[in-house]
C-alpha cells in the first residue's frame, strides 16, 4: 500500500508566507481565518485524508464501480467514507454561511482540496463537482432554488453533477441536442448525456444534475442552450424526497484510470420526460455553466498538483528502499544515490512545487476578487483569475502527466506492474488534460479570450507584477533564477507579439502556437512564484526564523527549477516564432 502524508509545512509556507493569507484574513467575512485556525484545519485535514481516505486509493482502483441494472455499485472499500467526509465538514469549508457553509477563504480550502485529491482522486471528484453546482446555483439560481438546493448541497447531504457532453457534442457544445419542453412551472427533458462523472451512486439521498438542453424555439448553436436543474428524486412541497425522476444511468465507461469514479451515460426522459427547472433565463445556459466550468478548471489543475505530490512521495519512498548498483563510498547503494534518479526526483519535486504555487495563487486572487469592497480592485483580481485559469488547468495537468510518468520510471520494472501503485497514478493523471475542456481548448481560451480579447491588459498587468521579482531574486543571491526569469518574461512578451504579428496573415498561426504559449506562460509564472518562495526562504534564513532545513530545500528546488525546467522556455519561444508552416504543410490526404 502506498502511504500519503500531506505536505503541511509546504502548504502552510505558501499560504502564509508567500501568498498573503494575512491580507486575505482582513477581507470582510474572512476574519475567522486566523493563523491558529488555518494551522488547525491543515493538520486535522492531513490526518483525515492521510489516515482515512488515502489507504482506499489502490483497493478502490482495483474494485472499481459497476452497474447493476440502473444502480451504480461503487467500490466497497469506500463504504462510509463519504459520510465521514461530509460529517467532518470537509466539503463545506467555502460554502456560504447563509446556507450552512463555513465561509472560509479559498486559499485555505485549496490546500484541503489538494489533500482530498491526493488521497483518492476518483473519490475526490464527487465533492468537487458538487462544489461546482453550488457555485452555479449560488450565482444564477432563483431565491427559491437557492433555498431548496443549496443547504443540502453545501452540507454534502445531496451531491451534484455537471451534464454537458453528448455523443456529438464534446468540445463543441453548440451541438447539444437534449430537449427541454415547457410544461407548467417546469420543463420535460429528453436526451442522452455521456461521460457524466459520479452521474449516479448511492452515497446521497438525492443527486442534483445541472443539465444543458435546448427549448423548442431556441436559436441554433451556443446561443440556444439553456441550463436546467434536474433532481434524481423530485422534492415534495414539505421538502421530503418525492417520486423518482425520469433520469437513469444506462451505462458505465470502462476507462484507463480513475476506476473508482463512475463515469455514467445518463438517459433523460425515456418514459414521460425528466422534470427539470430552468436556471436563470432561457438561452443563457452556457454563460451560467461557465461559472461552474471555471471553478472546475481550477479544481482539475489542482488535481494535477495532487497526483504529482502523491507520485513524488511514492517515488522517494521506493528510491530510498530499492538497492541497486554502487555509488562512491556505498557498495550496496539504494537507487536514490544515483545522479539520474536524483535528477528525476528533483524534476518531480520542482514541477510539483511550481504547480502548487501557480494553482494556489489563482485561488488567492479569487478570494480578493470575491471579497474586495473596492470594485476596481475586485475587477483587477478577477482579470488575474481569468488569465490564470487556463494556465492552471493546462500547465498543472501537463506536468501531472510528466511527474507521474517519472514516478513510474523511478520504480523501473516495478513501476510498470500494477502492484506498487505507481502505474495507477500515471493512468489516473491521463484524464486531467482531457476533461473540463481539453488542454488544446484551454490554450485557445488563453490566446483568444484571455489575451486577444482584452488587448493584452490582463497579461500586461501580470508581467508588471512579475518583473520586479527578477531584481528581488538577484538581490537575494538567487542568480540562476533571476537570469531564467528575466529571459522568460521577455520570451512571453516576444511570443505574444510574434503570435499576433503572424495572426494577421495566417488563420492557423494562433492554433498552431497556442499550446506552446500556454506552456511558456505556465512555466514562467510557476518559476516566478518559486522565486518569490525562495526569496522568502532566504530572508527567513537571514533572520534565523523558520525551519532552516525547509528553507534550504526551497532554495535548492528553486535553483533546480531555474536551471533544469525554465530552459524549456527557449524551445517554446522558438516553436511559436516558427509559426504554422510545418504544422499545416502536409495535405490532409498525406497523413
Ligand atoms: C472520465 C471522463 C469524465 C468526464 N466527466 C464529464 C462530466 O462530468 N460532465 C460532462 O459534461 N463531460 C464530462 N466529460 C467529457 C469531457 O469533458 C470531454 O471528453 C472533453 O471535453 C472533450 O470532448 P470530446 O471527448 O468529445 O473530444 P473532442 O471534442 O472530439 O476532441 C478530440 C480532440 O480534438 C481537439 N479539438 C476539438 N475541437 C477542437 C477545436 N475547435 N480546435 C482545436 N482542437 C479541437 C481536442 O482538443 C481533442 O484533442 C468527461 C470525460 C471523461 C473521459
Amino acid at each position: 500500500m502506498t502511504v500519503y502524508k500531506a505536505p503541511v509545512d509546504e502548504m502552510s509556507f505558501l499560504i502564509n508566507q508567500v501568498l498573503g493569507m494575512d491580507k486575505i484574513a482582513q477581507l470582510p467575512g474572512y476574519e475567522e481565518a486566523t493563523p491558529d485556525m488555518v494551522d488547525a484545519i491543515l493538520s486535522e485535514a492531513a490526518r483525515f485524508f492521510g489516515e482515512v481516505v488515502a489507504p482506499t486509493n489502490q483497493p478502490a482502483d482495483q474494485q472499481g464501480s459497476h452497474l447493476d441494472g440502473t444502480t451504480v455499485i461503487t467500490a466497497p472499500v469506500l463504504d462510509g467514507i463519504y459520510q465521514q467526509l461530509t460529517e467532518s465538514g470537509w466539503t463545506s469549508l467555502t460554502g456560504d454561511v447563509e446556507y450552512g457553509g463555513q465561509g472560509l477563504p479559498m486559499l485555505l480550502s485549496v490546500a484541503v482540496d489538494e489533500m482530498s485529491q491526493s488521497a483518492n482522486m476518483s473519490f475526490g471528484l464527487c465533492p468537487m463537482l458538487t462544489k461546482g453546482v453550488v457555485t452555479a446555483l449560488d450565482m444564477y439560481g432563483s431565491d427559491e432554488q437557492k433555498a431548496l438546493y443549496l443547504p443540502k448541497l453545501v452540507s454534502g447531504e445531496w451531491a451534484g453533477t455537471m451534464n454537458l457532453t453528448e455523443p456529438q457534442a464534446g468540445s463543441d457544445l453548440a451541438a447539444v441536442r437534449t430537449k427541454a419542453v415547457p410544461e407548467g412551472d417546469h420543463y420535460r427533458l429528453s436526451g442522452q448525456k455521456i461521460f457524466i462523472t459520479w452521474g449516479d451512486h448511492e452515497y446521497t439521498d438525492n443527486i442534483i444534475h445541472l443539465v444543458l438542453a435546448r427549448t423548442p424555439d431556441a436559436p441554433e448553436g451556443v446561443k440556444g442552450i439553456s441550463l436546467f436543474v434536474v433532481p434524481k428524486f423530485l422534492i415534495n412541497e414539505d421538502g421530503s424526497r418525492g417520486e423518482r425522476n425520469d433520469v437513469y444511468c444506462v451505462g458505465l465507461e470502462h476507462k484507463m484510470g480513475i476506476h473508482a469514479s463512475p463515469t455514467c451515460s445518463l438517459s433523460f426522459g425515456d418514459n414521460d420526460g425528466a422534470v427539470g427547472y430552468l436556471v436563470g433565463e432561457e438561452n443563457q445556459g452556457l454563460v451560467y455553466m461557465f461559472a461552474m466550468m471555471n471553478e472546475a478548471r481550477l479544481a482539475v489543475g489542482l488535481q494535477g498538483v495532487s497526483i504529482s505530490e502523491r507520485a513524488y512521495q511514492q517515488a522517494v519512498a521506493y528510491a530510498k528502499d530499492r538497492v541497486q548498483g554502487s555509488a562512491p563510498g556505498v557498495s550496496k547503494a539504494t537507487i536514490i544515490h544515483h545522479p539520474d534518479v536524483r535528477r528525476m526526483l528533483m524534476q518531480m519535486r520542482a514541477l510539483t512545487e511550481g504547480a502548487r504555487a501557480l494553482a494556489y495563487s489563482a485561488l488567492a486572487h479569487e478570494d480578493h476578487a470575491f471579497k474586495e469592497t473596492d470594485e476596481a480592485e475586485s475587477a483587477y483580481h478577477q482579470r488575474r483569475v481569468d488569465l490564470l485559469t487556463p494556465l492552471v488547468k493546462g500547465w498543472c495537468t501537463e506536468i501531472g502527466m510528466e511527474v507521474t510518468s517519472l514516478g513510474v520510471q523511478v520504480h523501473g520494472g516495478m513501476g510498470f506492474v500494477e502492484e506498487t501503485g505507481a502505474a495507477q497514478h500515471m493512468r489516473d493523471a491521463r484524464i486531467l488534460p482531457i476533461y473540463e475542456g481539453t488542454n488544446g481548448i484551454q490554450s485557445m481560451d488563453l490566446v483568444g479570450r484571455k489575451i486577444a480579447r482584452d488587448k493584452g491588459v490582463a497579461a500586461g498587468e501580470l508581467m508588471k507584477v512579475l518583473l520586479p521579482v527578477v531584481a528581488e531574486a538577484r538581490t537575494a543571491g538567487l542568480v540562476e533564477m533571476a537570469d531564467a526569469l528575466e529571459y522568460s518574461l521577455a520570451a512571453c512578451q516576444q511570443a505574444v507579439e510574434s503570435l499576433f504579428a503572424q495572426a494577421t496573415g495566417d488563420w492557423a498561426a494562433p492554433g498552431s502556437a497556442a499550446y506552446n504559449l500556454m506552456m511558456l506562460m505556465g512555466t514562467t509564472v510557476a518559476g516566478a512564484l518559486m522565486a518569490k518562495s525562495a526569496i522568502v526562504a532566504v530572508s527567513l534564513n537571514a533572520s534565523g526564523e523558520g525551519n532552516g532545513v525547509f528553507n534550504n530545500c526551497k532554495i535548492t528546488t528553486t535553483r533546480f527549477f531555474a536551471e533544469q525546467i525554465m530552459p524549456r522556455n527557449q524551445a517554446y519561444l522558438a516553436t511559436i516564432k516558427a509559426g504554422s508552416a510545418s504544422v499545416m504543410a502536409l495535405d490532409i490526404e498525406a497523413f
Side-chain angles (χ1 to χ4, degrees):
M1 193 213 302
T2 70
V3 175
Y4 164 71
K5 192 166 175 287
V8 173
D9 289 350
E10 161 79 5
M11 290 166 163
S12 171
F13 174 81
L14 197 54
I15 290 173
N16 292 310
Q17 313 265 20
V18 184
L19 295 173
M21 180 57 107
D22 51 342
K23 290 210 181 78
I24 288 174
Q26 286 167 18
L27 294 168
Y30 282 161
E31 298 84 355
E32 282 190 27
T34 58
D36 286 349
M37 157 82 103
V38 170
D39 282 352
I41 288 183
L42 291 182
S43 61
E44 185 48 27
R47 191 203 62 75
F48 178 76
F49 290 104
E51 292 174 16
V52 179
V53 185
T56 66
N57 195 43
Q58 199 176 16
D61 174 66
Q62 287 156 356
Q63 293 166 353
S65 22
H66 66 275
L67 199 58
D68 180 7
T70 56
T71 305
V72 172
I73 312 291
T74 45
V77 70
L78 290 169
D79 286 355
I81 304 273
Y82 182 85
Q83 276 61 36
Q84 288 188 56
L85 178 85
T86 51
E87 279 162 17
S88 319
W90 296 121
T91 55
S92 61
L93 290 178
T94 53
D96 193 329
V97 283
E98 195 184 335
Y99 303 112
Q102 300 169 57
L104 288 165
M106 286 170 257
L107 182 57
L108 172 57
S109 79
V110 68
V112 175
D113 291 344
E114 181 195 320
M115 295 181 204
S116 163
Q117 302 293 344
S118 287
N120 186 332
M121 200 174 90
S122 293
F123 176 68
L125 276 162
C126 183
M128 181 184 126
L129 283 159
T130 304
K131 217 169 164 184
V133 173
V134 167
T135 303
L137 285 178
D138 202 12
M139 285 177 80
Y140 301 111
S142 64
D143 289 345
E144 201 186 333
Q145 286 169 340
K146 288 183 194 178
L148 184 58
Y149 299 111
L150 287 181
K152 290 190 173 175
L153 285 168
V154 167
S155 71
E157 192 177 333
W158 293 345
T161 72
M162 169 161 135
N163 292 248
L164 290 73
T165 309
E166 298 178 10
Q168 77 296 340
S171 300
D172 183 9
L173 292 170
V176 160
R177 282 192 206 137
T178 296
K179 278 199 205 114
V181 178
E183 184 187 82
D185 69 344
H186 57 264
Y187 290 71
R188 290 272 177 187
L189 274 77
S190 55
Q192 272 257 324
K193 294 285 177 184
I194 59 165
F195 293 156
I196 306 308
T197 298
W198 286 95
D200 200 20
H201 53 87
E202 302 284 305
Y203 288 166
T204 52
D205 262 7
N206 208 347
I207 299 175
I208 309 305
H209 304 291
L210 277 188
V211 186
L212 290 183
R214 289 181 184 284
T215 53
D217 303 319
E220 291 291 303
V222 285
K223 291 196 174 133
I225 297 174
S226 304
L227 183 64
F228 298 88
V229 193
V230 181
K232 174 176 171 182
F233 287 94
L234 300 178
I235 300 151
N236 296 324
E237 293 220 336
D238 63 1
S240 60
R241 190 168 94 163
E243 267 176 58
R244 182 75 166 82
N245 203 355
D246 190 7
V247 47
Y248 290 94
C249 178
V250 293
L252 283 192
E253 301 302 340
H254 299 279
K255 311 185 294 285
M256 79 185 268
I258 55 166
H259 290 151
S261 163
T263 305
C264 304
S265 292
L266 291 185
S267 193
F268 292 80
D270 280 351
N271 304 303
D272 303 326
V275 173
Y277 305 91
L278 183 69
V279 177
E281 290 171 24
E282 275 190 21
N283 302 329
Q284 295 297 315
L286 211 58
V287 176
Y288 303 157
M289 202 55 139
F290 257 105
M292 185 169 176
M293 280 199 280
N294 282 333
E295 176 164 319
R297 284 172 178 183
L298 291 173
V300 171
L302 185 69
Q303 288 185 310
V305 180
S306 301
I307 198 107
S308 298
E309 176 64 35
R310 182 120 194 204
Y312 168 71
Q313 289 191 18
Q314 183 168 345
V316 169
Y318 187 79
K320 284 183 175 171
D321 188 54
R322 168 75 172 157
V323 176
Q324 201 70 187
S326 61
V330 201
S331 61
K332 282 190 172 176
T334 50
I335 59 172
I336 199 163
H337 286 89
H338 303 310
D340 186 54
V341 174
R342 293 280 276 270
R343 173 192 62 78
M344 290 191 278
L345 293 175
M346 283 305 292
Q347 201 161 319
M348 294 174 81
R349 179 187 179 110
L351 286 169
T352 306
E353 288 187 16
R356 178 179 292 113
L358 175 59
Y360 283 32
S361 80
L363 274 304
H365 284 291
E366 185 130 29
D367 278 326
H368 283 284
F370 185 42
K371 293 284 187 185
E372 288 288 354
T373 45
D374 181 86
E375 250 178 60
E377 190 68 12
S378 164
Y380 168 84
H381 288 286
Q382 188 58 50
R383 279 197 296 281
R384 185 69 50 77
V385 176
D386 293 345
L387 178 67
L388 292 179
T389 298
L391 298 183
V392 172
K393 199 295 178 170
W395 195 79
C396 297
T397 61
E398 292 292 328
I399 74 99
M401 287 198 302
E402 182 177 343
V403 171
T404 53
S405 176
L406 283 166
V408 169
Q409 193 69 18
V410 169
H411 284 74
M414 287 308 285
F416 195 68
V417 298
E418 286 287 347
E419 68 195 67
T420 58
Q424 183 195 343
H425 304 317
M426 190 175 165
R427 288 188 286 99
D428 285 353
R430 193 61 191 86
I431 184 59
L432 304 177
I434 297 174
Y435 62 20
E436 275 319 316
T438 63
N439 283 358
I441 299 294
Q442 300 303 316
S443 69
M444 283 177 289
D445 177 56
L446 174 70
V447 171
R449 288 207 193 90
K450 307 296 166 60
I451 298 181
R453 188 183 281 178
D454 79 350
K455 300 194 169 44
V457 171
E461 286 170 345
L462 174 63
M463 294 301 136
K464 199 170 157 198
V465 294
L466 295 187
L467 208 54
V469 181
V470 174
E472 289 163 24
R474 215 173 283 291
T475 308
L478 305 163
V479 183
E480 300 79 12
M481 178 48 94
D483 289 347
L485 189 58
E486 190 166 25
Y487 171 84
S488 298
L489 290 169
C492 287
Q493 180 83 23
Q494 283 180 43
V496 171
E497 283 166 10
S498 163
L499 190 57
F500 288 108
Q502 294 171 46
T504 47
D506 177 7
W507 74 270
S512 304
Y515 175 84
N516 287 318
L517 182 68
M518 179 179 83
M519 296 307 286
L520 167 62
M521 288 183 70
T523 310
T524 302
V525 181
L529 290 163
M530 290 289 284
K532 285 180 125 185
S533 303
I535 291 165
V536 173
V538 167
S539 107
L540 288 174
N541 267 351
S543 58
E545 289 171 83
N547 174 341
V549 176
F550 177 91
N551 293 339
N552 291 338
C553 286
K554 182 58 75 185
I555 294 165
T556 304
T557 309
T558 299
R559 178 172 175 179
F560 182 93
F561 197 96
E563 290 181 342
Q564 304 276 333
I565 308 286
M566 289 176 86
R568 295 175 186 188
N569 286 342
Q570 296 169 18
Y572 294 134
L573 178 61
T575 62
I576 294 163
K577 284 187 169 168
S580 71
S582 61
V583 174
M584 299 300 286
L586 290 188
D587 286 338
I588 286 180
E589 291 71 32
F591 279 92

